[in-house]
């Protein structure tokens, strides 16, 4: 029993427990038979927030209670069922994860055909269920709202009505747009980078990765998509990247923790504050046209259920790139959210949308295969690999796409990954090898979507307008050579912050609900 419990701890918490007591009945720990970890329900009130008490948790199996303890420096998060750093745990006062009862729905036999039943039998209008607002007294109208339980869920793909350029789906997600033969399809490679653009990665971007000699088959420079968060971003450099034809997209203002907040706690208003707020900051301080801020990625890839996509629909975001698909051969093509996703919602307690959001694209993240592991972000792949391993991994996964359905090959990074010289050398070697192939194109997320909307055979791509080099900029949109260096007070951070911009300095450091920095 001891061995199996230790294994359970590793699986459920993601961090190995350092100790457990086989049978703690002598300590009078009550059994809560839920198959989930919980805290001592009778712990003294004055000890609830102590590190010692908050690091302990219990599991009851066959009426026997077993005690576990997080590793030193970690506390137990009862909602996420994991050990995590103290900064990310705010529920030491919660004994057990609340289990919301399942609604009766049609089984309640409501008198009105447009009503459904809560778990306690109360009948409410059917559109109250899974709308993001709790209406049932027992909370059951909002507790079972994944794609398989939402009574108002999106329908399965219907290729007869889902027609390009505005709608695209297939039963398993692997169908090639326009039913082209794979040999007619350009192999798109989509490079994305998350977080701030600043002096720490400027040389990497401008000299080491996107040097002038690396071009697509039509002679245009290769491009990437940058999901930019606010803090530490240099907006003059961001504007220069946009001037050069790279795509700038939104990655939130705060990039706040804990991770689960984005998928579980963020309200529609929070989503507007974070994502539309960052779009306003990029427009105001980097001069990027609002209509070109088309995409977003959620911090930690924690998808925000229907609330996120309601915000996207209202604001006018064109695509999201936060959903990770289960590993598959062949890989999955991007799709619109007119219909149900063609794959399961992957990740621990992930919260994918259940409703239909016509015309919004999901630039789905296909996982990489790294020997016996799979990983979504390149920097989340096993860290023990050397440069040669990285090069082989990049080539192996390229072939998985290139030799099958040629779905866009996404490589997603945080730039800290490139600090290992052998990783940078392996990646630039891969870039140069790919650059020699006449049917391989490095494109942005938006350029990939444009091709999917208008599938164009390889032999016609030199005239494919969305992939041409021309970018018409007004003189007022050109990045300056010498930015304003704004030394600003931040009330939130209780210290000074620097902001680099070609526009006038704001009065305060821009932040959530004050994105223009007004005093």
């Amino acid at each position: 029993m001891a061995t199996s419990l230790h294994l359970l701890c590793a699986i459920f918490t993601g961090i190995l427990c350092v100790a457990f007591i086989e049978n703690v009945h002598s300590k009078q720990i009550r059994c809560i038979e839920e198959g989930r970890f919980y805290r001592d329900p009778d712990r003294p009130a004055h000890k609830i927030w102590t590190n010692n008490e908050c690091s302990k948790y219990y599991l009851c199996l066959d009426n026997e209670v077993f005690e576990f303890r997080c590793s030193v420096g970690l506390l137990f998060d009862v909602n996420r069922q994991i050990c995590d750093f103290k900064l990310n745990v705010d529920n030491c006062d919660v004994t057990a994860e609340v289990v919301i009862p399942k609604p009766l729905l049609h089984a309640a036999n409501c008198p009105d055909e447009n009503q459904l039943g809560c778990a306690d039998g109360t009948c409410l209008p059917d559109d109250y269920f899974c709308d993001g607002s709790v209406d049932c007294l027992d909370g059951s109208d909002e507790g079972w709202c994944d794609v398989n339980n939402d009574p108002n869920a999106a329908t399965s793909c219907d290729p007869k009505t889902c027609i390009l350029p505005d709608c695209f789906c297939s039963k398993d997600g692997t169908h090639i747009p326009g039913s082209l033969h794979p040999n007619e399809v350009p192999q798109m490679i989509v490079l994305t980078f998350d977080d701030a653009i600043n002096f720490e990665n400027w040389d990497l971007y401008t000299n080491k990765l996107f040097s002038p000699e690396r071009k697509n088959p039509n002679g245009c420079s290769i491009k990437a998509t940058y999901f930019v968060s606010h803090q530490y971003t240099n907006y003059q450099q961001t504007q220069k990247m946009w001037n050069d034809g790279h795509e700038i997209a939104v990655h939130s203002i705060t990039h706040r923790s804990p991770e689960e907040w984005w998928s579980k706690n963020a309200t529609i208003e929070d989503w507007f504050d974070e994502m539309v707020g960052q779009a306003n900051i990029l427009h105001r301080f980097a001069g990027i046209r609002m209509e070109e801020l088309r995409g977003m990625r959620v911090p930690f890839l924690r998808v925000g259920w229907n609330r996120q996509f309601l915000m996207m629909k209202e604001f006018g975001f064109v695509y999201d790139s936060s959903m990770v698909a289960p590993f598959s051969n062949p890989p999955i093509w991007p799709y619109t959210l007119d219909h149900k996703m063609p794959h399961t919602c992957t990740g621990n307690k992930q919260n994918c949308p259940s409703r239909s959001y016509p015309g919004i694209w999901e630039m789905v993240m296909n996982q990489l295969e790294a020997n016996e592991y799979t990983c979504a972000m390149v920097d989340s792949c096993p860290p023990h690999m050397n440069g040669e391993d990285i090069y082989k991994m990049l080539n192996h996964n390229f072939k998985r796409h290139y030799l099958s359905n040629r779905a866009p090959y996404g490589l997603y990074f945080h730039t800290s990954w490139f600090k290992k010289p052998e990783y940078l050398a392996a990646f630039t070697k891969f870039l140069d090898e790919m650059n020699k192939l006449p049917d391989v194109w490095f494109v942005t997320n938006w350029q990939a979507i444009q091709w999917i909307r208008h599938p164009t055979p390889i032999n016609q791509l030199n005239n494919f307008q969305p992939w041409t080099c021309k970018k018409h900029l007004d003189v007022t949109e050109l990045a300056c050579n010498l930015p304003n260096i704004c030394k600003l007070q931040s009330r939130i951070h209780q210290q000074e912050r620097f902001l680099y911009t070609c526009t006038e300095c704001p009065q305060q450091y821009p932040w959530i609900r004050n994105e223009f920095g007004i005093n």
Side-chain angles (χ1 to χ4, degrees), residues 216-281:
N216 279 320
N218 64 354
C220 299
S221 299
I222 67 174
K223 305 300 179 190
T225 296
Y226 296 84
F227 291 99
V228 180
S229 52
H230 171 54
Q231 198 165 195
Y232 308 118
T233 284
N234 181 314
Y235 288 98
Q236 180 248 3
Q237 293 176 339
T238 303
Q239 186 170 1
K240 183 67 169 64
M241 298 298 284
W242 176 66
N243 285 175
D244 290 345
H246 297 284
E247 180 185 14
I248 305 299
V250 171
H251 195 44
S252 83
I253 292 178
T254 69
H255 207 294
R256 59 163 292 176
S257 296
E259 297 179 16
E260 195 181 49
W261 180 85
W262 297 93
S263 53
K264 185 175 181 180
N265 303 110
T267 64
I268 294 176
E269 291 76 16
D270 290 328
W271 282 104
F272 269 96
D273 290 341
E274 289 280 3
M275 300 302 176
V276 178
Q278 179 60 2
N280 284 331
I281 289 175

Side-chain angles (χ1 to χ4, degrees), residues 100-104 117-120 129 136-144:
I100 299 174
K102 193 170 185 177
L104 295 175
C118 303
D120 62 4
F129 287 75
C136 293
L137 292 178
D138 53 23
S140 58
D141 60 314
E142 301 300 321
W144 296 74

Side-chain angles (χ1 to χ4, degrees), residues 483-497:
N484 290 318
I485 303 174
C486 312
K487 186 178 180 180
L488 304 168
Q489 185 64 35
S490 172
R491 291 180 180 175
I492 299 296
H493 301 99
Q494 294 296 302
Q495 57 185 245
E496 290 179 335
R497 283 281 193 272

Side-chain angles (χ1 to χ4, degrees), residues 187 189 213-218 222 391 395 398 402 427-442:
Q187 179 57 67
I189 299 180
E213 65 270 13
R214 294 194 175 109
K215 299 181 183 296
N216 279 320
N218 64 354
I222 67 174
Y391 178 73
N395 270 295
F398 169 77
Y402 186 70
F427 183 68
T428 53
K429 179 182 176 182
F430 169 77
L431 274 184
D432 292 333
E433 290 295 322
M434 295 299 103
N435 230 196
K436 297 174 184 176
L437 301 178
D439 50 1
V440 173
W441 298 67
F442 288 86

